Amino acid sequence: MGSTVHTSNVTELILTGLFQDPEVQRVCFVVFLPVYLATVVGNGLIVLTVSVSKSLHSPMYFFLSYLSLVEISYSSTIVPKVITDLLSKIKTISLQGCITQIFFFHFFGVAEILLLTVMAYDRYVAICKPLHYTTIMSRSVCHFLVAGSWLGGLVHSLVQIIVIVQLPFCGPNIIDHYFCDLHPLFKVACTDIFVEGIIVFANSGLFSVISFLTLVSSYIVILVHLRNHSTEGRRKALSTCASHITVVILFFGPAIFLYLRPSSTFTEDKLVAVFYTVITPMLNPIIYTLRNAEVKNAMKRLCGRKVNSGVERQ
């Protein structure tokens, strides 16, 4: 038995997809494609606006532009493959491709969690220690925090991959999901995955819960501090925090639901996963820009500049 521990008979996997009905799959294609394009354009517009607008050079917008960059990357790890699969009768992916997808999916997912935590810390310093804000949140500190978010994502993903590559996969080579993730892939393993399940539970589930509780605690502290602010200052700070809290709930709710449970496939898992892989990345730029006059004005100026330069060329 010892010699077969790291061998795998499976080299290609078949994904069952989101729905079996071809008609429903076509409807999903018509919905998912515009949503994905909106995700890339919306988040890309935030990255562009923050990089060219002099009025958006504060740490909050610096982090927001990186969050948008992560959203594009995170969504692009899953959605393009899902969209093309919706038009395919048999949805296949190689074992290496599957492991690669899991790596990047978790890498960008955890980078996003850490960036959301960094953004909460930024708001905490801005509201609770306004006199020291520019000193604490210096440009070098901001770069360090962003780099730390990427590094945290990398370490998390490497742990997941180390767990996976040691497993033997001998089939059946069918994954009951529409993309590769840990729990569905574990079902293809032909060994007891109790220990691996515990590692994933700690690395994904508990990490999500601890991060979520940290974020919620920081926003409670911020809201308590806001009582001492003027009405106008309180209104502006509440508006910003409301955007952050909305995004945190949209992201963490599904993640905690999926990774804190034992490894078993439920139909609702797929629908919950659709929410955080397809819908949430599109909603983030809408949530952040609708409630933020500075970003909206900067976008208008950017669009006005493009229109004017186009007229001048003519």
Side-chain angles (χ1 to χ4, degrees):
M1 280 296 287
S3 61
T4 61
V5 172
H6 301 294
T7 60
S8 291
N9 301 332
V10 174
T11 55
E12 191 174 62
L13 298 157
I14 296 167
L15 299 162
T16 58
L18 193 53
F19 298 103
Q20 306 304 315
D21 188 336
E23 206 57 45
V24 177
Q25 288 190 46
R26 279 195 284 273
V27 171
C28 287
F29 176 83
V30 170
V31 173
F32 285 9
L33 183 60
V35 167
Y36 175 64
L37 293 173
T39 300
V40 174
V41 171
N43 285 291
L45 192 57
I46 286 180
V47 174
L48 182 66
T49 305
V50 171
S51 63
V52 301
S53 301
K54 289 185 173 67
S55 61
L56 302 179
H57 276 187
S58 70
M60 182 171 82
Y61 299 115
F62 175 76
F63 297 134
L64 178 58
S65 69
Y66 273 100
L67 183 71
S68 294
L69 192 63
V70 168
E71 290 286 15
I72 294 169
S73 310
Y74 177 75
S75 188
S76 298
T77 305
I78 305 292
V79 183
K81 170 89 173 98
V82 173
I83 291 170
T84 52
D85 279 350
L86 286 168
L87 300 179
S88 312
K89 210 160 197 156
I90 300 169
K91 304 152 185 34
T92 59
I93 187 168
S94 68
L95 183 59
Q96 283 99 333
C98 185
I99 292 169
T100 304
Q101 191 177 56
I102 290 171
F103 174 82
F104 284 107
F105 175 62
H106 282 265
F107 171 54
F108 292 121
V110 169
E112 176 162 355
I113 287 174
L114 293 172
L115 268 173
L116 288 169
T117 309
V118 164
M119 289 170 83
Y121 174 68
D122 172 66
R123 290 301 82 209
Y124 165 77
V125 176
I127 291 163
C128 303
K129 302 183 181 209
L131 298 177
H132 305 286
Y133 181 69
T134 49
T135 313
I136 296 169
M137 299 304 290
S138 64
R139 183 57 76 175
S140 59
V141 168
C142 291
H143 283 290
F144 174 78
L145 290 170
V146 168
S149 301
W150 290 105
L151 185 63
L154 180 65
V155 170
H156 167 87
S157 276
L158 285 173
V159 172
Q160 308 287 55
I161 298 308
I162 289 165
V163 167
I164 295 168
V165 294
Q166 298 193 51
L167 292 173
F169 297 104
C170 53
N173 67 332
I174 293 167
I175 287 189
D176 187 16
H177 216 312
Y178 65 92
F179 69 95
C180 281
D181 203 3
L182 293 157
H183 288 169
L185 185 61
F186 280 167
K187 298 206 166 302
V188 186
C190 45
T191 185
D192 180 52
I193 50 99
F194 178 76
V195 175
E196 288 79 4
I198 295 294
I199 294 168
V200 168
F201 171 79
N203 199 27
S204 292
L206 286 182
F207 176 77
S208 296
V209 170
I210 291 164
S211 302
F212 181 67
L213 292 174
T214 304
L215 284 162
V216 169
S217 306
S218 65
Y219 283 117
I220 288 169
V221 171
I222 288 168
L223 293 173
V224 168
H225 265 268
L226 281 176
R227 289 184 307 179
N228 306 323
H229 285 239
S230 64
T231 310
E232 179 57 29
R234 198 183 306 148
R235 189 192 60 76
K236 195 176 177 186
L238 271 174
S239 179
T240 306
C241 287
S243 303
H244 289 226
I245 292 163
T246 307
V247 169
V248 165
I249 291 167
L250 285 174
F251 188 84
F252 278 92
I256 291 169
F257 173 81
L258 286 178
Y259 292 105
L260 266 188
R261 289 202 334 265
S263 175
S264 59
T265 305
F266 294 102
T267 310
E268 61 261 29
D269 279 16
K270 293 184 189 181
L271 298 174
V272 170
V274 165
F275 195 74
Y276 71 82
T277 56
V278 182
I279 310 296
T280 306
M282 179 197 68
L283 292 177
N284 283 7
I286 298 168
I287 292 164
Y288 280 115
T289 53
L290 279 181
R291 300 188 68 92
N292 194 304
E294 285 177 311
V295 175
K296 278 193 283 192
N297 293 335
M299 280 185 174
K300 282 176 193 167
R301 283 196 297 273
L302 182 69
C303 293
R305 201 184 303 169
K306 284 187 174 174
V307 171
N308 291 335
S309 63
V311 170
E312 282 167 16
R313 278 197 207 105
Q314 288 174 1

